[in-house]
Amino acid sequence: MRDSAALKVAYAWGLRRRELVMLELADIGSNPKAPEFGTYGVLYIRWGKASRGGAPRRRSVLTVLPWSVRVLQQWVTEYRDLFDHAHQTGWLWPTERSSRLSEVALSARFSRYRDELALPVELSLHSLRHSYVTHLIEAGCDPLFVQQQVGHSYASTTALYTSVSAGYRSQTLRSMLDKTIAAARARAGHEEA
């Protein structure tokens, strides 16, 4: 159950491995602008990717996927405390050996599940982060919002993560063409009058 919840959280908030494994219960909070998510409206990332030689960068990642609240809430309230020493720590992902889930262990688990499901070997845990970015862009989220969610300093970095589907590209092209044609017709009608 822990692995399932952790992988879903990685995707649902677009987290890097280190950001995910370093989460603690205190890093879960409410978002007053989204009361429908209750106390699971934001994750406070304290171990974001650092700039060269700098300290880890902090950011707040807002909850955008309603189903993710159920996953995280169920993990916290029903399963986390089944680990022997979970109540003695604030770690979100405790292990059977009274330690925190490590990046290496989580990546190994992801690879094992990927291989058991016969998914392409190119898929990695980081692919969940790329999917998060792509799905938010395809859902019409503002690119700056997506950039801030994943903690990128530059829009160009976020753009590298985006692999929109052919259907989305076709839909975007059709929308742009329709707007351009409508504007041209409006100008032509205005000039004739």
Side-chain angles (χ1 to χ4, degrees):
M1 181 62 185
R2 182 200 54 221
D3 297 347
S4 173
L7 294 174
K8 289 173 185 175
V9 166
Y11 166 75
W13 280 274
L15 303 180
R16 297 176 179 98
R17 286 181 315 170
R18 181 160 176 78
E19 295 169 348
L20 178 66
V21 300
M22 295 302 288
L23 282 173
E24 297 190 8
L25 293 173
D27 297 327
I28 303 169
S30 59
N31 177 355
K33 301 290 185 186
E36 64 271 27
F37 298 135
T39 57
Y40 296 88
V42 62
L43 290 183
Y44 299 104
I45 305 303
R46 293 180 292 137
W47 293 93
K49 188 175 180 179
S51 298
R52 294 182 190 197
R57 290 193 325 207
R58 295 173 175 245
R59 72 178 189 286
S60 300
V61 183
L62 303 177
T63 302
V64 295
L65 302 171
W67 60 263
S68 64
V69 172
R70 290 187 303 276
V71 169
L72 191 51
Q73 183 177 38
Q74 184 180 35
W75 167 253
V76 169
T77 61
E78 297 177 30
Y79 294 101
R80 181 186 169 277
D81 285 342
L82 296 176
F83 288 83
D84 287 338
H85 299 284
H87 63 283
Q88 296 172 356
T89 74
W91 302 332
L92 188 57
W93 313 110
T95 68
E96 300 81 359
R97 295 191 175 116
S98 305
S99 62
R100 182 191 301 253
L101 184 63
S102 72
E103 294 177 55
V104 172
L106 188 59
S107 291
R109 298 260 170 97
F110 180 88
S111 296
R112 188 178 87 218
Y113 299 140
R114 176 201 63 212
D115 295 345
E116 288 174 2
L117 293 169
L119 295 172
V121 295
E122 297 82 25
L123 290 179
S124 68
L125 183 56
H126 200 71
S127 299
L128 298 175
R129 184 170 160 83
H130 286 250
S131 295
Y132 172 79
V133 169
T134 298
H135 294 152
L136 288 185
I137 294 295
E138 286 186 347
C141 289
D142 182 273
L144 179 58
F145 171 77
V146 177
Q147 176 186 340
Q148 291 169 344
Q149 284 283 96
V150 294
H152 287 156
S153 297
Y154 304 102
S156 58
T157 306
T158 308
L160 293 173
Y161 277 54
T162 308
S163 302
V164 295
S165 67
Y168 177 79
R169 289 193 311 255
S170 296
Q171 176 186 347
T172 302
L173 175 61
R174 180 76 267 154
S175 176
M176 288 176 22
L177 290 172
D178 290 347
K179 287 178 186 176
T180 303
I181 291 169
R185 286 183 176 158
R187 277 193 307 273
H190 181 63
E191 290 172 2
E192 289 177 7

